[in-house]
Amino acid sequence: MRPILFYLSLFLCIIGAPSLHAENYPYRSDYLWVTVPDHPDWLYTTGEDARIEVQFYKYGIPRDVVVEYSIGGDLLPSDKTGRLTLKQGRGTINIGTSKRPGFRDVRLSATVDGTTYRHHVKVGFSPEKITPFTKEPSDFTTYWQNAVAENGKLPLKYTMEPVKEMSDEVTDVQLVKLQVDRRHWLYGYLLMPKGASQGSCPVVLTPPGAGVKTIKEVTSRPYYQEAGMIRFVTEIHGLRPTLDEADFTDIRSAFSDYLEMGLDSRDNYYMRHVYLGLVRCIDFLTSLPEWDGRNVAVMGGSQGGALSLIAAALDRRVTLCVANHPALSDMAAGSAGLTSGYPHFKAEKGLYTEATLRTMAYYDVVNFARHISCPTYLTWGFNDDTCPPTTSYAVWNTLQCEKESLITPINEHWTSDATNKQQMEWIKARLKKGK
């Protein structure tokens, strides 16, 4: 294990490229919060007090304002409130400690010139000791081995069509329609290095983030193809990605709760065909004559990060795994009033029953994580409220394979372009050579 701590400059969040989304600080914003924990890595031991310096600027000018704050566990209700008056735009909050491993979230608000501005910052307490709430069923391994074996009896069936408008001097793009089980198909864009010869290319499977949407980053990250890798970017719902946005909007309105569909049955849960489809994608990629016969990588973020980890556990052909802030992790923890991973199931919707909790255990990333054997690279941030750091640590602490981490405390639910390229370089450096 070789952990890497990578601390992003606060000001890079402001002056970064305008194409970035979901940033901690809005691009071209008039105001700026700066929150500086007194431990540079934002980490403390349980029982140790944490102090956070708070700064507020408008137009780059420090403002003496009253800051209202509340403090609570990661994605949990606040249990402490207070007020802080900034002097010359600065002040310090002693947020106290945590008696058990986990994260504390400091939520800030200040009203300036009639407008209320909000911010938050999370710090960790002995997170290396976080353990998942979710337990592994005794037949977890045999259940998935049998499911994969049965599904593997189906003949590999797909269609491919060239997409000239997306192809360029680096990449040939084809739209693939792939059968993943007896009833479901998925679409994906196959990004092939132009002029690739037989047996020359590693393959990289990129499952999608959550939602019902077209596949967006199709021709981005050309450095995979430039490095001689074949990349397969997929969706999971069987929706042709060439549908226009109006069609996706209509489908989304009727189909947005797919992660809840069939949750009371492990055999009928919506994500079953998605998980089996990961193996089918690898079947497809390893059937390509251009595949080098050695290297199969998976990489993705959020739901895609979860699916990458799951693929690595289900299919021993996967040789490298990269995942950002994985979703679908320790999902049942919310039933005990603890921090749960996306999609944050709600008890009031009847989603924490004996039947649903049983199903969750068969689909939770933490239970797949302990079965991964290939080298794995995991990235997450502390300020993420979509896939909270508590559940990322639950996954990280469960991994028993060779592993590396890139921890970016300031990040919410995003990774930088530099981090994305660094992940490709990590894959490239670990490719198996020779026959």
Side-chain angles (χ1 to χ4, degrees):
M1 179 179 75
R2 182 162 61 89
I4 306 167
L5 291 177
F6 180 66
Y7 308 113
L8 298 178
S9 165
L10 295 172
F11 292 103
L12 286 177
C13 296
I14 309 165
I15 63 176
S19 62
L20 294 177
H21 297 286
E23 296 178 354
N24 298 64
Y25 305 106
Y27 177 65
R28 295 185 178 179
S29 172
D30 291 332
Y31 73 96
L32 171 66
W33 289 95
V34 178
T35 46
V36 185
D38 61 345
H39 282 197
D41 60 2
W42 300 30
L43 295 176
Y44 302 80
T45 58
T46 51
E48 181 180 17
D49 280 2
R51 292 174 174 80
I52 306 233
E53 183 183 52
V54 177
Q55 303 172 33
F56 184 88
Y57 301 86
K58 189 169 183 181
Y59 308 128
I61 302 168
R63 301 296 294 265
D64 294 347
V65 298
V66 174
V67 175
E68 305 277 352
Y69 65 85
S70 63
I71 305 170
D74 196 5
L75 293 189
L76 300 176
S78 299
D79 51 50
K80 181 178 180 181
T81 60
R83 302 179 70 182
L84 171 69
T85 300
L86 302 186
K87 301 296 185 182
Q88 296 185 332
R90 295 172 179 253
T92 299
I93 302 172
N94 183 342
I95 73 169
T97 190
S98 176
K99 294 181 180 180
R100 66 184 182 190
F103 280 78
R104 299 282 284 167
D105 190 3
V106 185
R107 300 139 188 164
L108 309 167
S109 68
T111 300
V112 181
D113 302 329
T115 300
T116 298
Y117 301 94
R118 303 184 190 279
H119 187 56
H120 80 126
V121 59
K122 298 182 191 179
V123 296
F125 295 87
S126 301
E128 73 282 359
K129 296 180 180 179
I130 291 173
T131 57
F133 170 84
T134 301
K135 305 303 180 187
E136 182 175 320
S138 59
D139 64 343
F140 179 84
T141 299
T142 56
Y143 175 77
W144 282 109
Q145 285 177 341
N146 291 339
V148 169
E150 182 63 27
N151 201 56
K153 295 176 181 178
L154 294 173
L156 184 62
K157 186 175 182 180
Y158 61 88
T159 62
M160 297 173 65
E161 57 184 271
V163 187
K164 294 182 179 180
E165 64 273 20
M166 292 183 179
S167 301
D168 56 26
E169 66 279 2
V170 174
T171 308
D172 285 324
V173 181
Q174 298 205 60
L175 179 60
V176 176
K177 182 180 180 182
L178 173 68
Q179 186 175 16
V180 296
D181 69 2
R182 295 186 184 280
R183 299 189 299 117
H184 297 92
W185 297 71
L186 64 71
Y187 286 90
Y189 285 107
L190 184 69
L191 310 175
M192 179 81 68
K194 188 171 287 292
S197 60
Q198 184 170 334
S200 65
C201 297
V203 291
V204 182
L205 171 62
T206 302
V212 179
K213 56 194 175 186
T214 189
I215 305 169
K216 291 187 176 175
E217 299 177 318
V218 174
T219 55
S220 69
R221 306 181 190 179
Y223 37 76
Y224 280 92
Q225 295 86 257
E226 290 169 352
M229 302 182 205
I230 298 169
R231 190 159 171 250
F232 189 36
V233 182
T234 75
E235 57 86 50
I236 61 171
H237 304 298
L239 299 174
R240 189 178 176 88
T242 54
L243 293 173
D244 62 33
E245 185 55 35
D247 290 326
F248 275 102
T249 299
D250 290 342
I251 296 167
R252 190 180 304 120
S253 65
F255 198 50
S256 59
D257 294 334
Y258 67 90
L259 287 168
E260 301 174 7
M261 293 180 177
L263 190 58
D264 58 353
S265 168
R266 67 177 185 175
D267 296 326
N268 295 321
Y269 184 39
Y270 183 85
M271 295 301 285
R272 189 175 193 273
H273 81 270
V274 176
Y275 287 19
L276 294 175
L278 297 169
V279 177
R280 217 53 175 159
C281 287
I282 296 169
D283 290 340
F284 163 68
L285 286 169
T286 56
S287 75
L288 297 172
E290 294 84 1
W291 177 49
D292 67 6
R294 298 179 298 277
N295 294 287
V296 178
V298 289
M299 66 81 58
S302 193
Q303 178 185 265
L307 296 177
S308 295
L309 291 161
I310 290 161
L314 287 177
D315 197 322
R316 293 300 187 210
R317 289 174 294 181
V318 175
T319 55
L320 295 167
C321 176
V322 174
N324 302 322
H325 39 253
L328 309 174
S329 302
D330 217 10
M331 295 179 286
S335 66
L338 303 173
T339 304
S340 65
Y342 183 86
H344 313 298
F345 292 124
K346 303 296 183 184
E348 56 268 27
K349 294 182 69 174
L351 295 176
Y352 288 132
T353 66
E354 182 178 350
T356 60
L357 290 170
R358 181 172 185 267
T359 298
M360 287 179 207
Y362 286 93
Y363 289 85
D364 201 291
V365 170
V366 297
N367 287 336
F368 286 94
R370 62 176 55 90
H371 297 285
I372 295 173
S373 59
C374 67
T376 297
Y377 185 92
L378 199 64
T379 301
W380 68 97
F382 292 175
N383 284 345
D384 195 337
D385 275 349
T386 303
C387 296
T390 299
T391 60
S392 287
Y393 268 101
V395 173
W396 171 256
N397 294 341
T398 302
L399 288 168
Q400 299 173 21
C401 55
E402 178 186 335
K403 60 184 180 179
E404 296 184 37
S405 64
L406 176 63
I407 304 173
T408 55
I410 194 68
N411 285 34
E412 295 187 352
H413 199 57
W414 56 277
T415 54
S416 69
D417 290 339
T419 294
N420 296 335
K421 188 170 184 180
Q422 183 174 333
Q423 292 171 343
M424 183 280 294
E425 295 289 354
W426 184 89
I427 292 173
K428 182 179 177 182
R430 286 156 184 80
L431 293 173
K432 296 179 181 179
K433 307 297 183 182
K435 295 184 180 179

